[in-house]
Amino acid sequence: MRETPRAEPPQPRPHRAFAHTTGALGSGTPHRSDGRPPHTPRGARQPGPGDRPGTTPPVPGRPAVFWAIVAFSVITWQVLVHGPLAALDERLSRALVDTVPRGLSEAASDLGNMTVALPVLGCAMAYTTWRGRRAAALCAGLAMALVPLLVVPLKIWTARPGPLEPWAAGYFPSGHTATAMVAYCGAAFLVSRRLLPVAVLLTAVTAAGLVLRGFHWPLDVLASVALCLPLLRWPVCAARYGRAARTRTDEPEHP
């Protein structure tokens, strides 16, 4: 009886790298680039999901900051000249005021009080400083310090009366909305980006409470949101680069 010949092991093809040769130049393994310099320097890479090393995207937030400035300028112009947008804003406010119980809207608007929002940001800054990211904590503190420095002169300049107090002035933009947005969103960026939806929700609840209670016009709170987006760019960038530096420090060196 004739024996079946044994199959010979596969031979490597010429001009082809071994598929599983660790570090082989041109192979299909994750180590195929060990022999080449990386396109992106390790020190310039930004963390990906889960704070893992990732690629280097452009500085975030520039388009959002640009359109926020444009929106704030248009809203301010409409308020100053009492244009069509301001007239529509007043009609909308009259339809929304007191559509919910006042106790509920007042409780929501109180989330923008400094006595409520500032301790949240202060705890986040203390935690971030303890973790060794002092620059990020300092940027968040500076962003909050700029809120009254920007809001108060704008209130004096525009001198907009309130929905329920037409004899008063100084309602544009909303200081409570600005305080809530910078405090809660700044704290979320310092501690964990997973908390950002909670921060956005708290800011939206604050703004809605101010409008529903009649403390502010809708454009007042929208202008504050547009005003605070450029301010939040500082703690966002500082927190991102701080996490990238910490990731590079904790990352083991490759042989």
Side-chain angles (χ1 to χ4, degrees):
M1 182 182 258
R2 186 176 173 183
E3 292 185 358
T4 304
R6 238 177 239 182
E8 294 294 332
Q11 299 298 323
R13 297 182 183 179
H15 311 296
R16 295 285 297 268
F18 290 105
H20 298 285
T21 304
T22 304
L25 189 62
S27 67
T29 68
H31 304 283
R32 64 182 179 273
S33 60
D34 287 354
R36 298 195 301 267
H39 293 287
T40 304
R42 186 182 296 274
R45 294 188 181 182
Q46 300 299 315
D51 289 340
R52 298 186 184 90
T55 58
T56 304
V59 178
R62 287 184 179 177
V65 168
F66 171 77
W67 289 112
I69 294 174
V70 171
F72 179 78
S73 301
V74 172
I75 293 173
T76 305
W77 165 61
Q78 285 291 293
V79 168
L80 287 173
V81 302
H82 200 268
L85 190 60
L88 177 63
D89 178 54
E90 293 175 2
R91 291 197 299 269
L92 179 62
S93 178
R94 295 188 188 100
L96 293 175
V97 171
D98 287 337
T99 55
V100 299
R102 286 197 170 188
L104 185 61
S105 58
E106 286 183 3
S109 62
D110 286 343
L111 292 173
N113 288 342
M114 287 193 174
T115 54
V116 178
L118 286 187
V120 175
L121 180 61
C123 291
M125 291 173 61
Y127 170 79
T128 305
T129 303
W130 176 68
R131 293 296 300 271
R133 293 184 284 125
R134 297 179 182 176
L138 179 61
C139 288
L142 289 176
M144 178 55 70
L146 285 175
V147 168
L149 295 178
L150 293 174
V151 170
V152 173
L154 286 168
K155 286 178 176 290
I156 297 173
W157 178 44
T158 55
R160 191 183 194 190
L164 301 180
E165 297 179 347
W167 59 88
Y171 282 80
F172 179 91
S174 168
H176 280 67
T177 304
T179 300
M181 184 172 180
V182 173
Y184 298 136
C185 293
F189 281 119
L190 291 179
V191 177
S192 173
R193 284 172 290 182
R194 296 183 181 92
L195 296 175
L196 187 58
V198 178
V200 172
L201 177 62
L202 291 174
T203 304
V205 169
T206 304
L210 292 168
V211 172
L212 295 174
R213 178 60 180 83
F215 290 150
H216 278 287
W217 308 98
L219 284 184
D220 296 348
V221 299
L222 289 178
S224 290
V225 171
L227 180 66
C228 291
L229 277 177
L231 296 181
L232 284 173
R233 189 167 180 264
W234 294 351
V236 168
C237 293
R240 177 168 295 186
Y241 288 121
R243 290 191 184 99
R246 186 179 59 183
T247 302
R248 292 194 302 271
T249 303
D250 298 339
E251 192 178 52
E253 294 293 334
H254 293 285

